[in-house]
Amino acid sequence: MSTADAKTVEARCVRLVSKAENAAALAPVVERLTLERGPSDVLIEVKAAAVNPSDIKAATGLMPYAVFPRTPGRDYAGVVIDGPAGTVGREVFGSSGDLGIRRDGTHASHLVVEADAVVEKPKTVSWEAAAGIGVPFVTAMEGFRRAGVPKSGETVLVFGVNGKVGQAAVQIATWQGARVIGVVRRTEAYEGHSSVPVEVIDASAIDVATRVRELTGGKGADIVFNTVGDPYFQAAHKSLALRGRQILIAAIDRIVQFNILEFYRGQHTYVGIDTLGLSSAATGAVLRDLGPGFASGHLKPFPIRANAIYPLERAREAYVAVAGSSRDRVILKP
């Protein structure tokens, strides 16, 4: 078959027919659809796909640009079964800002995606674990790419440190040699992997900014990764060092009080990250930056529990688990 030929496949796809009022009202069905690749696309046999909170938000109408009907899913791992010369047989993984939101996504037996969007799967990583890397690690890495990748000797403060993006941020920062301080909302230790120990502040028991100043000899944090948003906005602001950068990826209430004088006197930078704005190819570029970290073992995929893996036919249960703030990385397996 020449690279210009397009191969088709009949795929089993989870379909959301229309917007649901809430997660409990989700009614996904599994349908058979014919997928066809273009000349610069690859056709992937999906081995595993992750379920992200953004999948649920898009399904319940919180993203007005989400299309219906569609196949949801942003993250995937699988084998290329057809594509341009040299691509067939590659074991790959990837993620996207538009897959599963503006176009058909990964919760299916097969996927069509641009050839430059896929990333080589590390040999030591299982299909399920590779599928779970995507959105959290892309969000964390894109935040650091925009704010400045942490350097050895810098301090990174992570609010929501035990969330998946928080854990990915810790892994990347400690891989780069930075010191990390984590913030939790109740007494608990850091649960994820890191290359150096992580100090944890319980925000329910102590003033975060005061403690950060104590731990840094009065300097403050060079980078604050705020994965929660407005509840921690003031604490994050008060924790910043001179020329510190705050990364924001989420909001509960959209409006916050903002001290402009402290902002410019502190020479601060605020960076907003929305990975839904990244194309599949742009997302692939971010994941490729992380490749050496996974190869060296400084970065580790999230552990996948057996009871958090669902077949396509049980997609609704998987979606409800994620909507219920499951701390597990939830995976669909065709």
Side-chain angles (χ1 to χ4, degrees):
M1 176 181 287
S2 77
T3 57
D5 289 337
K7 180 176 180 177
T8 62
V9 70
E10 191 175 275
R12 288 165 50 246
C13 306
V14 175
R15 302 291 284 171
L16 297 175
V17 178
S18 60
K19 180 181 84 175
E21 286 304 306
N22 51 50
L26 284 170
V29 294
V30 177
E31 296 179 353
R32 291 190 174 272
L33 293 181
T34 301
L35 303 186
E36 181 177 343
R37 76 167 184 91
S40 59
D41 297 331
V42 289
L43 180 59
I44 295 169
E45 180 186 334
V46 178
K47 298 291 189 182
V51 181
N52 288 287
S54 54
D55 298 324
I56 314 306
K57 290 176 183 172
T60 53
L62 295 179
M63 295 176 186
Y65 44 80
V67 299
F68 292 93
R70 75 171 186 288
T71 301
R74 298 173 62 191
D75 297 341
Y76 61 92
V79 179
V80 177
I81 59 170
D82 191 57
T87 60
V88 176
R90 287 177 63 200
E91 296 187 350
V92 298
F93 75 110
S95 182
S96 176
D98 54 3
L99 280 176
I101 311 279
R102 300 176 188 86
R103 58 193 258 214
D104 285 341
T106 66
H107 296 172
S109 62
H110 295 79
L111 170 70
V112 172
V113 72
E114 300 88 339
D116 60 0
V118 299
V119 182
E120 211 73 36
K121 180 182 80 69
K123 291 278 181 259
T124 55
V125 177
S126 71
W127 293 116
E128 295 84 359
I133 289 171
V135 169
F137 274 95
V138 169
T139 305
M141 189 62 193
E142 181 65 7
F144 286 138
R145 278 164 49 123
R146 292 266 315 283
V149 175
K151 301 182 185 71
S152 179
E154 286 194 315
T155 297
V156 178
L157 178 67
V158 181
F159 286 88
V161 73
N162 277 328
K164 291 297 179 270
V165 176
Q167 290 185 27
V170 169
Q171 291 202 36
I172 294 166
T174 59
W175 169 39
Q176 299 299 323
R179 174 193 190 183
V180 173
I181 303 168
V183 179
V184 292
R185 65 170 184 250
R186 58 179 177 270
T187 305
E188 60 183 24
Y190 173 60
E191 296 174 353
H193 167 73
S194 66
S195 297
V196 297
V198 175
E199 295 153 285
V200 176
I201 298 171
D202 176 2
S204 71
I206 192 168
D207 181 78
V208 173
T210 301
R211 183 62 181 145
V212 170
R213 298 283 169 196
E214 289 172 357
L215 290 170
T216 58
K219 180 188 174 189
D222 300 288
I223 302 174
V224 173
F225 208 124
N226 185 347
T227 73
V228 182
D230 47 282
Y232 288 131
F233 184 82
Q234 287 301 334
H237 170 74
K238 301 234 173 260
S239 299
L240 281 169
L242 184 69
R243 297 187 181 165
R245 300 93 82 188
Q246 182 179 182
I247 302 163
L248 291 150
I249 66 165
I252 299 168
D253 289 328
R254 300 177 186 191
I255 309 300
V256 294
Q257 289 286 326
F258 180 65
N259 188 319
I260 296 172
L261 180 69
E262 289 179 359
F263 171 70
Y264 71 72
R265 286 243 171 108
Q267 302 175 49
H268 297 155
T269 301
Y270 286 177
V271 175
I273 297 298
D274 180 12
T275 56
L276 292 168
L278 296 177
S279 68
S280 297
T283 305
V286 178
L287 285 171
R288 271 186 282 278
D289 279 357
L290 297 170
F294 285 106
S296 67
H298 287 93
L299 303 181
K300 293 187 186 297
F302 303 109
I304 307 298
R305 291 156 58 105
N307 63 356
I309 301 172
Y310 299 80
L312 296 182
E313 288 72 20
R314 290 175 59 199
R316 183 182 180 279
E317 290 173 60
Y319 298 162
V320 169
V322 171
S325 301
S326 167
R327 275 200 169 175
D328 292 328
R329 202 71 172 103
V330 173
I331 301 293
L332 289 175
K333 276 194 79 169

